[in-house]
């Protein structure tokens, strides 16, 4: 039996794309290999959002040269955003590669693998399509877990000054709601309880479709699928966060009380140069409106430090905004030049040492806020969807609250996929600890 291994860098969209390619290969009889060294087909799913992401892919692909030399019969390919950006250039940089597949053509990978096995060499497919394969194809994993990602759109039309995503994922395309629902139904039938709807900018879902629809409407339709207990989504753009999406948190029971709303910077002049289309005050107003509807909503964000021209006083405004919102979690990055983006040509670049200093300061503040938020949960009863055993081989299981916090508690693996009530006993920096309080069928299962 032939085995495949896909190593994934980058965001949730890449994770979902890897799952899709894995599923397509499984349809052809391939089975997953735990380790790269045991695989007949090795695929690296790449990211290029920052220079570090690119370097990580470089280094792993370089290391595969030895593997290919030792076992020339294996197939080694790259997919994802860096594959899209570099295309055939990959073959001159890494002559041991067999194929390069861009972000629109994932569905052709099994065919490429087959052609390579018939003696063809160096195949590449990086053209953009009117409708990308990552939206037109899907398959339910052979043994799905309780949570799953579902693509609802691909690409981005926003062209934030720093960002390479629109160039490597292409123009924004929405997937017809009927197709989304069909996939969600199939996942629910396979035991999935929670779906995360994915898109770079979910607020503009529906643009360009013949059927008139929008994101809140899609959420309602997904929530009506039997078996789906929880819905999450990512990412929404603060500029486009509509009243009706905010109302959806109140109207749709299955929609979890968590939103990832990247603000990027707290200074209006930086935001203007980033081309984000909102001000700090506008962002804070949206947060107030969200909290007015759902006081306990959990908030996470993305932040960039050291965007070209960012002065100390600009950075202070980012810190001020964090203090005003007190995010539950944040992902923060040093600005990194991406060739072809508008910001790459901006002067007044910030010194690396200054960027590092700002990042360290910001991240330590976030740690304080996260700990404070997690401690506030102590004594509360949370609804937790159990995802499986905790890491580290203890007798604990792990799951997430509706607010997207990780909770560990004593429990048997047969709780996997069940939604239980947990009394939070302790809040830590990265997770919560608790005790299951639910009675009913579950203790029976525990005493097996
Ligand atoms: N579509 C999402 C996220 C896209 S990329 C959104 O619009 O929010 C994820 C995050 O990477 C961004 O939110 C941003 O914080 C960061 N990022 C993107 N380009 C970057 C760059 N050139 N340098 C540093 N961080 C960057
Ligand atoms: Fe990049 Fe901006 Fe699009 Fe997000 S909205 S993917 S940051 S261009
Ligand atoms: Fe990276 Fe592409 Fe995602 S550049 S962050 S993998 S959309």
């Amino acid at each position: 039996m032939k085995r495949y291994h896909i190593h994934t860098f980058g965001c949730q969209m890449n994770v979902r794309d890897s799952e899709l390619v894995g599923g397509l290969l499984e349809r052809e009889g391939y089975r997953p290999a735990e380790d790269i060294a045991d695989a007949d087909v090795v695929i690296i799913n790449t990211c290029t959002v920052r220079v570090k992401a690119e370097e990580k892919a470089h280094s792993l692909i370089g290391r595969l040269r030895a593997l290919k030399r030792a076992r020339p019969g294996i197939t080694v390919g790259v997919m994802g955003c860096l594959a899209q950006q570099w295309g055939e250039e990959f073959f001159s940089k890494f002559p041991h590669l067999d194929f390069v597949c861009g972000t629109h053509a994932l569905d052709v990978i099994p065919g490429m693998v087959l052609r390579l096995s018939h003696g063809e060499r160096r195949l590449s497919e990086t053209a953009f399509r009117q409708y990308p394969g990552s939206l037109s194809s899907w398959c339910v994993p052979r043994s799905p877990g309780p949570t799953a990602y579902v693509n609802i759109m691909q690409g981005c039309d926003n062209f934030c000054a720093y960002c390479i995503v629109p160039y490597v994922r292409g123009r924004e395309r929405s997937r017809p709601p009927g197709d989304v629902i069909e996939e969600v139904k199939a996942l629910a039938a396979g035991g999935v309880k929670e779906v995360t709807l994915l898109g770079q900018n979910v607020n503009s879902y529906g643009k360009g479709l013949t059927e008139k629809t929008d994101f809140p409407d899609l959420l309602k339709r997904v929530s009506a699928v039997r078996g789906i207990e929880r819905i999450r989504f990512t990412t929404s753009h603060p500029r486009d966060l509509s009243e009706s999406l905010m109302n959806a948190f109140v109207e749709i029971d299955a929609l979890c009380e968590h939103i990832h709303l990247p603000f990027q910077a707290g200074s209006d002049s930086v935001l203007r140069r980033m081309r984000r289309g909102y001000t700090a005050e506008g962002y804070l107003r949206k947060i107030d409106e969200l909290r007015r509807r759902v006081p306990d909503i959990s908030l996470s964000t993305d932040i960039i430090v050291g965007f070209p021209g960012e002065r100390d006083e600009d950075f202070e405004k980012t810190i001020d905004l964090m203090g005003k919102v007190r995010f539950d979690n944040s992902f923060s990055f040093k600005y990194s030049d991406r060739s072809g983006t508008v910001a790459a040509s901006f002067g007044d670049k910030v010194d690396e040492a200054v960027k590092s200093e700002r990042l360290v300061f910001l991240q330590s503040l976030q740690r304080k806020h996260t700990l404070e938020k997690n401690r506030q949960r102590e004594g509360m009863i949370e609804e937790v969807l159990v995802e499986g055993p905790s890491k580290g081989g203890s007798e604990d299981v792990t799951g997430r609250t509706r607010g997207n916090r990780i909770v560990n508690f004593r429990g048997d693996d047969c709780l996997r996929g069940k939604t239980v009530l947990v009394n939070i006993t302790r809040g830590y920096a990265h997770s919560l600890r608790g005790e299951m309080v639910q009675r009913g069928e579950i203790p029976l299962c525990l005493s097996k």
Side-chain angles (χ1 to χ4, degrees):
M1 192 200 330
K2 296 258 188 192
R3 296 194 174 270
Y4 73 93
H5 184 97
I6 306 178
H7 188 98
T8 310
F9 293 106
C11 63
Q12 288 138 311
M13 291 142 208
N14 261 17
V15 172
R16 189 272 177 182
D17 285 349
S18 292
E19 284 170 3
L20 171 65
V21 171
L24 296 173
L25 286 169
E26 292 187 25
R27 269 191 203 159
E28 303 302 317
Y30 283 83
R31 289 294 169 260
E34 281 284 310
D35 204 73
I36 287 187
D38 303 327
D40 305 284
V41 175
V42 177
I43 304 174
I44 310 303
N45 192 358
T46 56
C47 171
T48 181
V49 75
R50 285 169 292 276
V51 74
K52 241 192 184 160
E54 188 179 321
E55 283 166 2
K56 280 191 203 157
H58 266 212
S59 130
L60 178 59
I61 297 163
R63 276 183 275 135
L64 293 177
R65 185 171 297 153
L67 183 73
K68 180 80 177 171
R69 204 173 289 148
R71 295 170 53 211
I74 63 169
T75 300
V76 182
V78 286
M79 59 184 267
C81 296
L82 187 61
Q84 182 65 45
Q85 193 189 7
W86 284 6
E88 297 198 350
E89 245 180 83
F90 250 117
F91 293 129
S92 39
K93 291 195 174 150
F94 300 101
H96 58 288
L97 285 178
D98 297 302
F99 74 81
V100 176
C101 181
T103 53
H104 279 214
L106 308 180
D107 50 328
V108 307
I109 288 181
M112 279 182 160
V113 171
L114 184 69
R115 283 163 60 197
L116 288 160
S117 73
H118 289 154
E120 287 189 56
R121 294 194 62 223
R122 292 199 172 161
L123 302 176
S124 139
E125 179 62 64
T126 51
F128 278 150
R129 297 183 189 166
Q130 188 54 27
Y131 192 61
S134 58
L135 296 183
S136 58
S137 356
W138 57 275
C139 41
V140 173
R142 276 185 311 133
S143 46
T147 64
Y149 290 131
V150 177
N151 254 0
I152 62 162
M153 56 207 296
Q154 157 136 351
C156 183
D157 289 346
N158 279 322
F159 290 93
C160 300
Y162 50 81
C163 185
I164 199 161
V165 171
Y167 302 91
V168 290
R169 291 255 165 189
R171 294 290 62 69
E172 195 176 281
R173 296 279 182 265
S174 289
R175 189 174 174 204
D179 292 7
V180 175
I181 298 301
E182 197 189 340
E183 179 173 356
V184 173
K185 279 185 178 162
L187 288 166
V192 169
K193 301 281 168 45
E194 173 184 306
V195 286
T196 302
L197 308 179
L198 296 180
Q200 294 295 350
N201 186 20
V202 294
N203 309 78
S204 49
Y205 173 78
K207 229 169 52 184
L209 288 176
T210 32
E211 181 177 344
K212 219 178 133 340
T213 182
D214 60 12
F215 186 56
D217 181 45
L218 181 73
L219 285 171
K220 286 191 189 111
R221 290 175 68 171
V222 172
S223 71
V225 174
R226 252 179 78 182
I228 295 301
E229 294 174 10
R230 289 177 166 194
I231 307 172
R232 302 185 189 279
F233 62 84
T234 197
T235 303
S236 67
H237 193 298
R239 183 197 53 213
D240 304 328
L241 177 59
S242 62
E243 289 255 321
S244 60
L245 181 53
M246 295 196 217
N247 291 338
F249 283 103
V250 181
E251 291 161 3
I252 302 174
D253 287 344
L255 187 59
C256 289
E257 293 77 16
H258 166 236
I259 187 166
H260 183 67
L261 200 62
F263 79 91
Q264 312 296 2
S267 147
D268 290 342
S269 75
V270 172
L271 284 170
R272 201 176 322 112
R273 278 178 292 117
M274 284 180 164
R275 306 190 174 178
R276 288 290 288 179
Y278 54 85
T279 59
E281 199 191 307
Y283 182 89
L284 288 169
R285 215 177 306 122
K286 297 253 162 134
I287 298 289
D288 280 348
E289 287 175 37
L290 276 165
R291 283 186 166 153
R292 198 155 44 79
R293 289 170 173 84
V294 190
D296 197 27
I297 194 162
S298 157
L299 296 163
S300 58
T301 197
D302 290 346
I303 308 165
I304 296 176
V305 300
F307 185 76
E310 186 188 70
R311 316 242 169 274
D312 282 342
E313 52 272 31
D314 294 311
F315 177 64
E316 279 302 317
K317 289 181 179 150
T318 293
I319 296 297
D320 277 357
L321 195 146
M322 288 174 72
K324 284 180 181 144
V325 178
R326 303 184 101 79
F327 292 96
D328 296 86
N329 202 2
S330 71
F331 303 88
S332 45
F333 315 98
K334 289 193 265 184
Y335 166 78
S336 162
D337 262 343
R338 306 316 290 139
S339 80
T341 62
V342 179
S345 65
F346 287 177
D348 211 4
K349 295 273 154 67
V350 177
D351 198 71
E352 276 305 309
V354 173
K355 283 190 221 169
S356 300
E357 220 172 87
R358 288 179 186 166
L359 192 70
V360 166
F361 184 84
L362 184 157
Q363 291 183 338
S364 84
L365 179 65
Q366 183 58 55
R367 272 195 297 277
K368 265 190 230 151
H369 289 168
T370 304
L371 184 60
E372 169 192 300
K373 292 281 178 159
N374 285 349
R375 290 242 166 100
Q376 280 170 8
R377 310 313 288 182
E378 290 174 4
M380 292 186 185
I381 306 279
E382 296 262 22
E383 182 200 292
V384 176
L385 173 61
V386 181
E387 294 177 13
S390 292
K391 284 188 198 136
S394 61
E395 287 173 10
D396 289 344
V397 287
T398 188
R400 276 171 203 267
T401 66
R402 288 176 63 95
N404 210 30
R405 291 183 176 81
I406 295 169
V407 186
N408 295 301
F409 60 100
R410 182 62 69 85
D412 198 286
D413 188 40
C414 68
L415 291 174
R416 188 174 143 92
K418 294 209 162 64
T419 303
V420 297
L421 295 178
V422 175
N423 179 20
I424 303 305
T425 51
R426 194 72 204 264
Y428 298 105
H430 301 288
S431 64
L432 308 175
R433 171 119 216 123
E435 283 162 7
M436 197 170 80
V437 292
Q438 186 152 310
R439 300 267 154 213
E441 62 168 310
I442 289 151
L444 284 177
C445 148
L446 274 174
S447 65
K448 81 173 185 315

